[in-house]
Amino acid sequence: MPGILWLASYPKSGNTWMRTFLANLIADSKEPLPVNKVSEICSGEANPMWYGPAFKKPLDQVSKQEIADVRVEIQIELSRRSKNVLILKTHNCLGEYLGKPLIAMNATGAAIYIVRDPRDVAISAADHFGVSIDESIEILAKETSKSDRAIYEVYNSWSNHVKSWTQIPHKTLMVYRYEDLLEKPEETFGAISRKLGITKDEARIQRAITHSSFKVLQKIEEEEGFTEKSRNSERFFRAGKSGQWQSVLTDKQVKQIEKDHGAQMKKFGYL
């Protein structure tokens, strides 16, 4: 499977959890990998170190259009330089921004897309973005939603993000629900390992599942910190649960999310 293996999702949907599982699976260590070492095996597409050499000025002085103009070229070059399959995390929707594609399809080998109940995403995203839940619900509905970093990611709305990646079934696209990863880890993570051709060794798969469990990740983050933690949050690995919306969201908030995203929620069994 040549090219980039994308780990894609809307923010706060389990992307880093999946990266951690794959990193532990590939490393196959007796001890859990430090979370800050995960990016050495499964990095992010929006990592500034990929983009710095493309410009003769600091990245905070580079325009959004300049980033858009080189984004696909950088992805293609990263894939070309990689001796093995290149695993890259992205929160970009599968589309265009400023007239340029966000994902280099001609450098793509496969993709894992993780979808999570937007009612739970709204809660987790509020903590991550440092906003109220009502504001988080508004962000999930915005078709112009994107990150504010120098190497920005374009989210679009939750519905459009999910639709962009999943609307066309493809043999190299693997779509998983966050909730199934939680409820059936051996079945789902095991299937991913086998489909990617990494290993069929059940003991190795189980070891990677254990090393990437939320309990373990929370402990490691508490002891070592995590460079990807939002400045707005106390911790990155916050809860790792599903169904929190039932006790946290008001009826009005639930109805708004279901109104905004009903079609995609029905498609993935959330309604």
Side-chain angles (χ1 to χ4, degrees):
M1 184 187 65
I4 298 169
L5 168 61
W6 294 105
L7 303 185
S9 73
Y10 191 87
K12 306 311 294 181
S13 299
N15 198 308
T16 300
W17 182 22
M18 180 63 69
R19 287 168 63 208
T20 305
F21 165 73
L22 287 177
N24 276 284
L25 185 68
I26 292 167
D28 193 26
S29 171
K30 292 183 179 180
E31 298 295 328
L33 279 180
V35 289
N36 293 312
K37 292 285 186 180
V38 168
S39 61
E40 296 178 7
I41 298 175
C42 306
S43 187
E45 182 274 338
N47 192 324
M49 74 177 183
W50 309 136
Y51 289 80
F55 303 102
K56 296 180 179 179
K57 54 185 175 181
L59 288 176
D60 60 5
Q61 295 177 18
V62 177
S63 71
K64 286 182 169 56
Q65 185 66 64
E66 288 175 307
I67 296 294
D69 290 342
V70 302
R71 188 158 220 147
V72 161
E73 294 176 13
I74 287 174
Q75 293 172 12
I76 293 171
E77 177 61 17
L78 287 173
S79 177
R80 188 189 67 79
R81 291 192 339 228
S82 179
K83 295 179 181 179
N84 302 305
V85 172
L86 178 65
I87 305 175
L88 285 181
K89 160 195 171 181
T90 185
H91 290 311
N92 279 320
C93 63
L94 185 55
E96 293 188 351
Y97 180 65
L98 299 177
K100 300 291 183 177
L102 291 160
I103 302 293
M105 295 307 296
N106 58 343
T108 295
I112 296 173
Y113 187 82
I114 308 169
V115 60
R116 184 184 187 187
D117 190 327
R119 294 167 295 195
D120 279 329
V121 172
I123 298 168
S124 188
D127 178 74
H128 183 72
F129 295 139
V131 299
S132 68
I133 290 178
D134 284 335
E135 290 171 313
S136 180
I137 291 171
E138 290 178 8
I139 291 172
L140 262 65
K142 278 186 180 179
E143 297 188 356
T144 57
S145 180
K146 58 183 177 295
S147 65
D148 58 1
R149 295 171 297 175
I151 310 302
Y152 56 85
E153 292 180 298
V154 180
Y155 310 146
N156 207 310
S157 69
W158 180 88
S159 285
N160 286 343
H161 195 291
V162 173
K163 185 178 179 180
S164 73
W165 279 97
T166 66
Q167 62 186 331
I168 302 175
H170 196 281
K171 63 180 181 180
T172 60
L173 171 65
M174 294 163 268
V175 181
Y176 292 93
R177 298 194 328 159
Y178 177 93
E179 294 76 17
D180 294 331
L181 296 174
L182 278 174
E183 294 170 14
K184 301 178 287 185
E186 287 79 12
E187 178 182 331
T188 49
F189 284 114
I192 290 166
S193 176
R194 290 185 288 272
K195 285 182 180 179
L196 293 177
I198 297 175
T199 183
K200 295 179 181 179
D201 184 337
E202 296 297 333
R204 181 176 171 183
I205 293 169
Q206 184 58 58
R207 194 156 50 245
I209 291 172
T210 301
H211 288 173
S212 58
S213 69
F214 270 82
K215 183 177 180 180
V216 170
L217 294 177
Q218 286 176 330
K219 184 174 185 294
I220 295 174
E221 182 182 10
E222 185 177 332
E223 293 173 351
E224 303 175 8
F226 186 32
T227 57
E228 296 182 27
K229 181 185 76 68
S230 166
R231 62 179 180 273
N232 302 308
S233 307
E234 289 186 13
R235 60 170 58 189
F236 184 93
F237 299 103
R238 195 181 59 86
K241 298 178 180 178
S242 64
Q244 283 192 307
W245 64 270
Q246 298 177 58
S247 59
V248 175
L249 300 183
T250 65
D251 289 344
K252 182 180 179 181
Q253 290 169 332
V254 170
K255 288 178 182 177
Q256 185 62 55
I257 294 171
E258 293 175 354
K259 177 183 176 183
D260 292 339
H261 308 293
Q264 292 302 311
M265 291 179 73
K266 287 178 182 177
K267 179 180 178 181
F268 288 96
Y270 297 126
L271 288 179

